[in-house]
């Protein structure tokens, strides 16, 4: 077997100028397939992670108004009581924006002395937000009216922020501040820590997140209402909900959406790059397949005298068949080895951070190698069969 491998490598090396372009095509195809495989594997990996909130039986109402709405407790309290009068509504909460929206707000935070500076997404939430979204704290407790007299803004943070702001110590009860703020920096106190809250859903990479307590009149207006409705509430509920909202504030505009619909729209948008990349890769692989098949056909034709001589010396048809396929597999292996040497630099240097972790890299590499090996095998089957069925007499008289 060693002698056979050595012989095949010598044959490939002698035709290195012919094989160079073919190797480059295989290398390029491998890199493209790897990119798609890595994207798909990472999305699958993300989909298995918890998102941190419930989306079933959740509705969002976005308030759209040309003029600023009154930012006072009476307005929000009246709106909440009116919505809870609807038999379908179980919980009502207010927040800056609903899950599965494209918008994001971020800010910089640090410890009171300015150390451990962290950039994080920020999402104001009312006291009932966590119960409405059916969230569970990993540590601590949700903020409530008992925090009205707090000396710092009660805040929920996720595990990523807790580990970065307060490494090695329990985060609950700790104080931090806004790192960039005109005037006196706002102070926050950690009420609870959650493991995850991925507002854009299952295909969102984990991010740093801070959820300060929203108190009407204190800071910015919360323009989104979150509703938890009874299981099985039909879409027709939207008209009754809209009528009830208009009865409260006929001069306001409302955009109502079940979170399940927003989730579907977000998933379609997040899967669009994978779809586009897959179409491009399919065309590329077809082109590579045609090129590979054509080159193998030409190489086999040029080697007919060599094949005839080997047949005359006693090589059987199966041996010739396996040789043609083995040569192509070795050529593909060499091209993929070069590609892997280049690609392995990405997780080593951390260019894509968590998006290309080692499990994703190895799985994508294995899938890509499988695709390239299958393509090489399919393209070499017919040229190998054609070479194997030549009789020694036909091959030695070929011109």
């Amino acid at each position: 077997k060693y002698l056979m491998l050595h012989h095949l490598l010598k044959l490939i090396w002698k035709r290195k100028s012919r094989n160079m372009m073919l190797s480059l095509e295989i290398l390029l195809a491998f890199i493209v397939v790897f990119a798609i495989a890595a994207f798909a594997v990472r999305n699958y990996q993300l989909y298995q992670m918890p998102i941190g909130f419930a989306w079933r039986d959740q509705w969002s109402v976005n308030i759209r108004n040309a003029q600023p709405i009154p930012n006072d407790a009476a307005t929000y309290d009246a709106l909440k009581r009116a919505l809870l009068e609807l038999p379908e509504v179980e919980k009502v909460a207010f927040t800056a924006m609903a899950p599965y929206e494209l918008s994001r707000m971020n800010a910089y935070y640090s410890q009171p002395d300015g150390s451990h500076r962290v950039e994080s997404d920020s999402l104001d939430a009312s006291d009932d937000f966590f119960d409405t979204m059916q969230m569970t704290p990993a540590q601590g407790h949700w903020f409530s009216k008992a925090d009205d007299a707090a000396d710092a803004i009660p805040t929920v943070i996720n595990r990523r922020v807790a580990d970065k702001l307060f490494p090695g110590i329990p985060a609950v009860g700790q104080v931090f501040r806004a790192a960039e703020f005109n005037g006196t920096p706002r102070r926050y106190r950690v009420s609870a820590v959650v493991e995850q809250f991925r507002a854009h859903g299952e295909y969102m990479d984990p991010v740093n997140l801070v959820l300060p307590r929203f108190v009407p009149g204190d800071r910015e207006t919360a323009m989104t209402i979150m509703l938890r409705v009874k299981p099985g509430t039909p879409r027709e509920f939207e008209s009754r909900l809209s009528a009830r909202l208009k009865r409260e504030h006929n001069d306001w505009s409302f955009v109502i959406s079940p979170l399940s619909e927003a989730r579907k729209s977000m998933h379609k948008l997040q899967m669009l790059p994978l779809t586009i990349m897959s179409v491009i890769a399919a065309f590329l692989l077809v082109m590579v397949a045609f090129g590979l098949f054509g080159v193998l056909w030409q190489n086999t034709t040029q080697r007919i005298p060599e094949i005839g001589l080997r047949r005359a010396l006693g090589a059987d048809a199966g041996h010739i068949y396996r040789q043609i396929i083995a040569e192509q597999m070795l050529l593909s292996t060499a091209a993929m080895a070069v590609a892997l040497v280049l690609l392995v630099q990405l997780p080593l240097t951390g260019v894509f951070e968590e998006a290309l972790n080692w499990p994703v890299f190895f799985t994508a590499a294995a899938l890509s190698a499988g695709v390239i090996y299958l393509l090489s095998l399919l393209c070499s089957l017919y040229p190998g069969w054609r070479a194997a069925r030549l009789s020694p007499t036909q091959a030695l008289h070929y011109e």
Side-chain angles (χ1 to χ4, degrees):
K1 290 184 178 179
Y2 171 78
L3 292 175
M4 182 62 183
L5 178 61
H6 181 70
H7 174 70
L8 291 175
L9 291 174
K10 283 180 66 177
L11 290 174
I12 292 172
W13 179 254
K14 286 181 179 179
R15 293 190 297 273
K16 56 183 178 293
S17 57
R18 299 179 192 173
N19 292 330
M20 182 61 69
M21 187 58 66
L22 188 59
S23 299
L24 288 175
E25 286 185 7
I26 295 172
L27 185 149
L28 177 61
F30 180 81
I31 291 176
V32 172
V33 175
F34 176 88
I36 296 170
F39 189 83
V41 171
R42 177 57 177 169
N43 278 340
Y44 177 78
Q45 194 180 62
L46 291 171
Y47 193 84
Q48 305 305 308
M49 298 179 186
I51 58 174
F53 61 90
W55 54 267
R56 293 181 178 85
D57 304 316
Q58 305 282 350
W59 289 52
S60 68
V61 179
N62 191 265
I63 303 171
R64 303 281 179 85
N65 203 34
Q67 301 297 324
I69 68 173
N71 187 11
D72 58 76
T75 299
Y76 283 97
D77 187 58
L79 193 56
K80 179 179 179 179
R81 283 188 285 103
L83 291 172
L84 286 173
E85 290 174 1
L86 295 169
E88 294 88 349
V89 177
E90 294 184 339
K91 293 287 181 180
V92 178
F94 301 95
T95 184
M97 65 189 73
Y100 297 107
E101 286 188 9
L102 287 175
S103 302
R104 292 170 69 175
M105 295 186 294
N106 67 342
Y108 288 92
Y109 302 93
S110 69
Q111 289 194 8
D113 61 0
S115 63
H116 297 86
R117 180 185 170 97
V118 173
E119 183 180 10
S120 172
D121 284 8
S122 178
L123 181 68
D124 287 3
S126 67
D127 292 347
D128 295 316
F129 179 79
F130 307 101
D131 193 18
T132 301
M133 303 302 295
Q134 296 177 277
M135 297 171 63
T136 304
Q139 297 172 4
H141 60 275
W142 307 132
F143 42 68
S144 64
K145 287 188 177 295
D147 295 301
D148 284 349
D151 60 343
I153 300 170
T155 304
V156 174
I157 62 177
N158 68 356
R159 179 71 64 187
R160 293 170 62 93
V161 174
D163 291 342
K164 293 175 181 177
L165 270 179
F166 311 107
I169 60 174
V172 175
Q174 300 292 334
V175 174
F176 63 101
R177 67 176 178 86
E180 292 181 356
F181 193 78
N182 294 327
T184 305
R186 288 175 178 164
R187 299 173 70 251
Y188 303 87
R189 187 180 299 278
V190 180
S191 298
V193 175
V194 294
E195 293 294 342
Q196 292 279 4
F197 189 91
R198 294 187 289 151
H200 291 177
E202 290 79 354
Y203 298 117
M204 179 187 186
D205 280 304
V207 297
N208 301 328
L209 183 65
V210 171
L211 297 110
R213 185 187 184 210
F214 166 70
V215 178
D218 184 33
R219 299 192 308 280
E220 293 82 1
T221 307
M223 301 294 286
T224 299
I225 309 169
M226 295 304 305
L227 307 176
R228 193 172 91 202
V229 300
K230 291 181 178 178
T233 299
R235 187 64 191 261
E236 289 74 22
F237 171 62
E238 182 178 344
S239 60
R240 297 195 297 276
L241 176 59
S242 178
R244 189 69 184 88
L245 289 165
K246 284 293 185 181
R247 196 164 68 183
E248 281 298 308
H249 295 282
N250 191 43
D251 56 331
W252 293 5
S253 298
F254 304 96
V255 178
I256 303 170
S257 175
L259 222 56
S260 58
E261 296 297 321
R263 177 176 177 267
K264 288 179 184 177
S265 299
M266 179 64 76
H267 283 183
K268 288 180 181 178
L269 184 63
Q270 290 167 331
M271 288 293 102
L272 185 60
L274 181 60
T275 303
I276 294 173
M277 289 172 64
S278 298
V279 172
I280 294 172
F283 279 110
L284 177 64
L285 288 176
V286 169
M287 292 173 60
V288 171
F290 277 118
L292 188 58
F293 183 82
V295 171
L296 285 173
W297 183 291
Q298 184 182 25
N299 286 350
T300 304
T301 301
Q302 292 174 344
R303 295 173 61 189
I304 285 178
E306 173 198 331
I307 293 168
L309 181 60
R310 295 200 62 204
R311 290 297 307 276
L313 292 174
D316 59 22
H319 188 84
I320 299 297
Y321 194 32
R322 289 191 296 271
Q323 177 186 340
I324 298 297
I325 295 175
E327 286 181 16
Q328 181 53 42
M329 291 300 182
L330 283 173
L331 190 63
S332 298
T333 300
M336 288 189 290
V338 174
L340 283 172
V341 169
L342 299 174
L343 291 170
V344 79
Q345 307 304 316
L346 300 177
L348 284 174
T349 56
V351 173
F352 294 103
E353 299 180 343
E354 297 174 50
L356 189 61
N357 51 52
W358 286 112
V360 170
F361 177 85
F362 286 123
T363 305
L367 291 173
S368 305
V371 170
I372 298 301
Y373 277 134
L374 179 61
L375 182 67
S376 299
L377 177 63
L378 293 176
C379 290
S380 60
L381 285 177
Y382 182 75
W385 175 81
R386 179 170 173 267
R389 66 192 294 267
L390 286 171
S391 68
T393 306
Q394 286 178 301
L396 290 172
H397 286 84
Y398 178 83
E399 294 184 0

